[in-house]
Amino acid sequence: MLATGPNGAGKTNLVEAIHLATQGFSFRTRMDAQLIRAGATEASVCVDGDRAGASVTAEARLSNREPKRLRLNGSPVASTDELRQRLHTLVFTPDRLGVVKGGPAVRRAYLDRVLSRLLPARADVPVRYAAALGQRNAGLRRISAGLSPRNVLDPWTETLSVTAVELVQARKDAIEILAPSLATCAAELGLADALIGYDSEPPTVAELVARLDRDLERGSTGLGPHLDEIHLKVGSRDLRPFGSQGEQRLMVLSLLLAEAEVLSGYVGVPPLLLLDDALSELDADRRRILSERLGRGGQAIVTATGAEALPLAPAQLLVVSQGEVRPA
């Protein structure tokens, strides 16, 4: 499906609404109040579809007066995490170039989202590690302020070390699963020898204790997977400092296509792909290759300023104008 329209017509709002209904949150903001039209007090999105031959209805309702409500096939969904485990939607926006161009924290967050989808049984590992880290850092600040003795850190140091082992291993396992598909998808788009790399060793309790004085000065834990780097490379060339804008875009698109391929094999149903302004900055050959790839499995909703941006005829062409969507 291709949605076209001039800049500012509402194409991104369209894919954002679909993402909200199928994943429970916006890819642009975590503040639900920003999703409600100015002057209104409520907003709702309802998406009807077909998943492996079964009808699916996903709905999100927002209000300034009460918590967000999510429903799937008429039944309440307790959390966004539950919805994301039951429906899979992957999104590309120009902001996602930050996965390559941004700092290490962006790539760590990306990889942790990937592992939560590819390894759902271990989706809680990044959350548990972050909780242990937060508790240890809070303990460091209390000790520095003279409010607690040093031994208050002992249980959190132990917990942090244990969960660090789990997190590092989960990240490595997710990369091992993703890497072959990434190489294939990237090569198809003309980005040969693409790889994702992660070299990390979780800190031991002894290592954490040995640097306690420095951590007390900093007020934070200076060792652990919360500081790790994930490398996105073409051969030996790191794309963050040495990749062109086009190569960085191709890497992000390749990561998305690779994850979609892996998820399709795992759950037997291709995820829904939302690609907002993905075709710009790609040459004609790569736009054609990407279009062919998208047409081989599942549904993709692509936005562009004009129909000519997509080399192949879409199954459905929509025109977005001043917030309204109509068939071309």
Side-chain angles (χ1 to χ4, degrees):
M1 180 185 296
L2 177 63
T4 65
N7 293 328
K11 301 185 297 298
T12 300
N13 289 349
L14 172 63
V15 295
E16 183 180 28
I18 296 170
H19 192 275
L20 173 64
T22 58
Q23 299 295 277
F25 62 96
S26 163
F27 53 75
R28 291 199 286 188
T29 178
R30 290 298 188 267
M31 298 179 65
D32 291 339
Q34 295 181 355
L35 304 178
I36 300 174
R37 187 189 299 272
T41 59
E42 296 183 345
S44 65
V45 182
C46 184
V47 174
D48 293 319
D50 179 280
R51 187 172 187 267
S55 297
V56 174
T57 299
E59 185 178 8
R61 291 186 177 273
L62 308 177
S63 172
N64 289 333
R65 299 185 295 268
E66 58 185 25
K68 173 170 56 186
R69 289 176 290 167
L70 305 174
R71 300 181 74 87
L72 183 60
N73 295 331
S75 300
V77 178
S79 66
T80 58
D81 287 340
E82 179 186 345
L83 184 60
R84 291 175 66 230
Q85 293 301 324
R86 297 173 66 181
L87 294 179
H88 296 112
T89 299
L90 305 181
V91 62
F92 171 91
T93 71
D95 289 344
R96 293 299 167 97
L97 292 178
V99 172
V100 179
K101 298 170 65 174
V106 181
R107 283 179 289 284
R108 289 193 298 269
Y110 161 76
L111 182 56
D112 290 346
R113 289 194 301 270
V114 169
L115 81 82
S116 72
R117 284 188 287 260
L118 301 187
L119 303 168
R122 288 188 272 177
D124 67 326
V125 173
V127 177
R128 289 192 288 108
Y129 179 82
L133 179 65
Q135 292 287 354
R136 188 173 192 273
N137 287 345
L140 289 169
R141 292 189 290 271
R142 288 196 301 271
I143 293 168
S144 296
L147 301 176
S148 299
R150 287 195 172 207
N151 62 8
V152 76
L153 282 185
D154 292 348
W156 294 115
T157 297
E158 175 70 27
T159 301
L160 189 73
S161 178
V162 171
T163 52
V165 172
E166 296 180 68
L167 179 56
V168 168
Q169 190 59 54
R171 286 175 174 174
K172 289 181 177 180
D173 290 346
I175 286 176
E176 185 176 356
I177 293 168
L178 187 66
S181 291
L182 171 62
T184 300
C185 294
E188 192 171 347
L189 289 174
L191 200 64
D193 300 323
L195 59 90
I196 178 170
Y198 177 58
D199 297 317
S200 177
E201 292 297 330
T204 65
V205 171
E207 289 171 331
L208 290 167
V209 171
R211 60 168 295 124
L212 178 56
D213 289 338
R214 280 176 288 172
D215 286 352
L216 287 169
E217 291 176 6
R218 291 161 48 102
S220 62
T221 302
L223 190 65
H226 59 289
L227 300 172
D228 286 347
E229 174 64 286
I230 291 91
H231 298 284
L232 297 170
K233 297 182 178 181
V234 171
S236 61
R237 181 163 54 93
D238 194 320
L239 288 183
R240 183 191 183 194
F242 301 116
S244 69
Q245 182 88 352
E247 287 177 319
Q248 292 170 344
R249 181 176 289 256
L250 288 173
M251 175 60 85
V252 176
L253 287 168
S254 299
L255 288 166
L256 180 141
L257 294 174
E259 188 178 356
E261 184 174 85
V262 173
L263 281 172
S264 296
Y266 273 26
V267 302
V269 180
L272 173 64
L273 301 183
L274 305 176
L275 288 88
D276 187 34
D277 193 26
L279 302 173
S280 64
E281 301 185 28
L282 298 183
D283 57 44
D285 284 343
R286 286 185 171 87
R287 289 201 304 270
R288 177 184 54 79
I289 293 169
L290 178 60
S291 302
E292 292 173 349
R293 177 85 191 197
L294 294 175
R296 291 206 293 264
Q299 184 177 27
I301 301 174
V302 182
T303 72
T305 53
E308 70 281 355
L310 194 69
L312 305 181
Q316 186 175 6
L317 179 60
L318 304 176
V319 176
V320 183
S321 177
Q322 297 182 350
E324 296 185 352
V325 183
R326 58 179 175 80

